[in-house]
Amino acid sequence: MGLSASFGKIMKSARFTLNLELLRYLGPGFLVTVGFIDPGNWATNIAAGSEFNYSLLWVITLSTLMLIFLQHMSAHLGIVTGKCLAESCRQWFPSWANYIIGGSIMLACVATALAEFLGAAIGITIISGIPLGYSGVIAGAVILALVTVQKYDQIEHIIISLVSIIGFCYLLELYIVKPHWGTALRASVVPSIDSSKILIAMGMLGAVVMPHNIYLHSEVIQKRNYRAENEERKRQLLRYEFMDTLFAMGAGWLINCAMVVVAA
């Protein structure tokens, strides 16, 4: 009995240590998640819910599954090779292809960042009443400071806090509006589309599966303690990354669905 009890304590301690270590690796996925809780998502999700009720919820589910797969592959690349996606492209593709890939992703990043930048400026104006021009300067200064410092671990903590606040606010809103959960659940897994919904559905898909996030994930991995000394450690890190990606993308899926439901 004594030996059995001691073994049980050791196993419980090991699981506790494993859980603590997993918590250390949570974060990179949330930097991706906040990328699909941006002004583009708010606009398309609110339009979808207010115009088509719950019928386009399945687009959020499908696009989130696509995102999990793509981000998981991107992060895997960063862990296994020790290089981000851009570095791998430069290594394995010819120069002419890299010019095309680099140019297209740069344009995509600029277009996407513009939405976040304008959203930040409008948000500052709404909260403080400062004219939009000045809010744009403030937003630009904050963004440049964060990009220059590149303290990903600190940014991750801020992002997790902000995503948690958004999620809590939507829980309150869902409690207030009291949606029809059965209809919403069915609509989230059963496709329904016609010509009038195509543009909004494409916008919702494009607002979730975003090219800059795919590049970002493999880069953020390099800033974390994702160093694998052997194959077993590498497999362990891959599991941690998958849990981080799954948890973060799942939170994003819930929040995006809540946007549609509340708007409906």
Side-chain angles (χ1 to χ4, degrees):
M1 289 295 291
L3 181 61
S4 176
S6 298
F7 181 74
K9 288 181 179 179
I10 291 172
M11 292 302 295
K12 187 178 294 184
S13 175
R15 285 196 297 270
F16 180 70
T17 303
L18 178 63
N19 291 335
L20 283 181
E21 187 174 10
L22 173 60
L23 290 176
R24 286 176 48 225
Y25 289 94
L26 292 179
F30 283 91
L31 286 179
V32 174
T33 296
V34 81
F36 71 106
I37 309 175
D38 67 1
N41 296 90
W42 294 79
T44 54
N45 291 338
I46 290 174
S50 59
E51 191 170 350
F52 302 114
N53 212 319
Y54 302 145
S55 63
L56 288 178
L57 276 171
W58 65 272
V59 179
I60 300 295
T61 302
L62 176 62
S63 54
T64 302
L65 290 174
M66 294 170 60
L67 183 69
I68 290 172
F69 173 75
L70 292 171
Q71 298 299 152
H72 187 45
M73 292 298 100
S74 173
H76 264 207
L77 177 72
I79 294 172
V80 172
T81 67
K83 296 181 179 181
C84 67
L85 180 57
E87 291 171 326
S88 296
C89 287
R90 184 174 184 179
Q91 178 181 355
W92 293 105
F93 286 103
S95 297
W96 63 267
N98 278 316
Y99 281 117
I100 297 174
I101 294 170
S104 62
I105 189 59
M106 189 174 295
L107 290 174
C109 286
V110 169
T112 306
L114 183 60
E116 275 89 357
F117 173 72
L118 290 176
I122 292 170
I124 293 172
T125 296
I126 292 173
I127 293 173
S128 64
I130 298 174
L132 187 58
Y134 295 112
S135 296
V137 173
I138 295 172
V142 171
I143 292 169
L144 286 175
L146 291 174
V147 171
T148 302
V149 173
Q150 291 195 16
K151 295 288 186 180
Y152 285 121
D153 52 344
Q154 297 176 11
I155 296 175
E156 286 166 8
H157 296 153
I158 297 171
I159 293 300
I160 291 173
S161 301
L162 293 176
V163 171
S164 300
I165 291 171
I166 295 171
F168 177 73
C169 291
Y170 264 107
L171 279 177
L172 291 179
E173 292 191 18
L174 288 171
Y175 175 76
I176 293 170
V177 301
K178 293 178 173 58
H180 193 289
W181 291 111
T183 305
L185 182 61
R186 182 178 184 278
S188 66
V189 294
V190 178
S192 172
I193 195 71
D194 57 50
S195 59
S196 64
K197 303 173 184 175
I198 284 290
L199 290 179
I200 294 295
M202 290 174 61
M204 294 169 72
L205 175 63
V208 173
V209 184
M210 309 179 82
H212 69 292
N213 273 342
I214 300 173
Y215 280 80
L216 173 67
H217 208 158
S218 60
E219 165 63 22
V220 174
I221 291 294
Q222 310 308 315
K223 303 296 183 181
R224 299 295 296 264
N225 187 26
Y226 274 106
R227 294 291 179 267
E229 298 84 11
N230 52 59
E231 290 301 315
E232 178 57 33
R233 178 60 175 167
K234 188 175 292 186
R235 283 192 290 270
Q236 186 180 44
L237 292 176
L238 292 174
R239 289 195 295 271
Y240 289 161
E241 176 277 320
F242 180 69
M243 294 302 297
D244 174 51
T245 298
L246 194 63
F247 183 65
M249 306 297 126
W253 173 76
L254 289 172
I255 293 174
N256 275 275
C257 286
M259 292 181 192
V260 177
V261 170
V262 170

